[in-house]
Amino acid sequence: MYPATFEYHRPTTVDEAVRLLATHKDDAKLLAGGHSLIPLMKLRLTTPKHVVDLRRITGLAGVREEGGAIVIGALTTHYAIESNASLKSKCPMLPEAGAMIGDPQVRNWGTIGGSLAHADPAADWPAVVLALGAELKATGPKGPRTIKADDFFKDLLTTVLGPDEVLTEIRIPAPAAGTGMAYVKHPHPASRFAVVGVAAVLTASGGKCEKASVAITGVGPKAARAKGVEAALTGKALDAQTIAAAAEKAADGIAMTADLQGSVEYKQHLTRVYARRALEAAAARAKGGK
Ligand SMILES: Cc1cc2nc3c(=O)[nH]c(=O)nc-3n(C[C@H](O)[C@H](O)[C@H](O)COP(=O)(O)OP(=O)(O)OC[C@H]3O[C@@H](n4cnc5c(N)ncnc54)[C@H](O)[C@@H]3O)c2cc1C
């Protein structure tokens, strides 16, 4: 099916994109990799009259380090993250998660910013940015603002971004020494979207877990932190028994919905299993200093 007719805009600056959004309001949609927007337009589930293509704006793609943080441009593709050598050593969960998204075509077109702004409940990046304690930078008519990942996702396909705001970058604090991290997922066999995905970031010091940050995606309307797991690990030795007990709390307090992927009971079970795998991998890397 073809999308409905629309006017195509190619701004070269973020300010110009913001002006177009402010002018055309609800009739406008930003285009990044197009791997969520274009299928929706073809199905006529969304029919924007104005499509604002971000890909001519320079400076929105790429990975850099700045003031002790890793900064990823919103237009950076999943593949660019997956293949970034510096991220592989400094924040390995990012390339690990990027490599698990969809197929090579999706990874070469889709962008981290598009994924976060779209907030698909089965997307991988939302859990990763929550567990890494990221901050997201957006620019609107009033200028730039910074939003904590914890405050960014509101509901199914809904974030706190205004209709006239452009997400420009994702800022991740450099992981502390002794931090291990892992992302694991149970992928849908056709799309590879997460039926459940678990991101775990553990910082070990003196044989104990100093800080635990764990987030779950895929099972409910939006990705969320697994606070029960974090509390069960903090201050404890990262041994097999503690990890197994903490993983049992992974489904606690997480909103889950029964759907074609499975019942709530099935998703709760899957969440606990994958939480244990993510925690075991993150703990091993924390101890090994990766
Ligand atoms: C077959 C298939 C398999 C997939 N498998 C997976 C998977 O396993 N895991 C996964 O996480 N995802 C998966 N995806 C989704 C894919 O990762 C998309 O690329 C992603 O969700 C959207 O990114 P995009 O750059 O393509 O955004 P677009 O489709 O261009 O845009 C998506 C939405 O975000 C808005 N938007 C885009 N950029 C910005 C911005 N900078 N600021 C504000 N709003 C913006 C757009 O207006 C639109 O509403 C899959 C997609 C397909 C088609």
Side-chain angles (χ1 to χ4, degrees), residues 37-50:
L37 182 65
I38 290 176
L40 290 175
M41 288 171 66
K42 285 187 163 187
L43 292 167
R44 307 227 175 170
L45 291 171
T46 182
T47 53
K49 292 195 176 73
H50 298 268

Side-chain angles (χ1 to χ4, degrees), residues 16-31:
E16 197 185 337
V18 169
R19 271 198 302 278
L20 284 161
L21 291 179
T23 304
H24 300 294
K25 300 199 162 51
D26 289 347
D27 285 338
K29 274 274 178 203
L30 293 174
L31 174 74

Side-chain angles (χ1 to χ4, degrees), residues 176-180 201-205 208-212 238 286:
T179 297
V201 181
L202 305 178
T203 305
S205 175
K208 288 197 173 151
C209 178
E210 199 174 74
K211 187 166 178 246
L238 282 173

Side-chain angles (χ1 to χ4, degrees), residues 21 28-40 52 54 60 74-76 78 100-103 106-107 109-120 122-126 161-162 165-168 185 187 190-194:
L21 291 179
K29 274 274 178 203
L30 293 174
L31 174 74
H35 268 58
S36 293
L37 182 65
I38 290 176
L40 290 175
V52 180
L54 294 171
L60 277 188
L75 235 61
T76 310
H78 310 319
M100 292 184 207
I101 294 176
D103 52 48
V106 173
R107 295 200 290 278
W109 279 93
T111 66
I112 186 168
S115 173
L116 294 171
H118 189 56
D120 190 297
D124 297 293
W125 291 130
L161 283 180
E165 282 187 305
V166 179
L167 180 61
T168 55
K185 81 192 251 196
S191 70
R192 317 305 290 169
F193 270 108

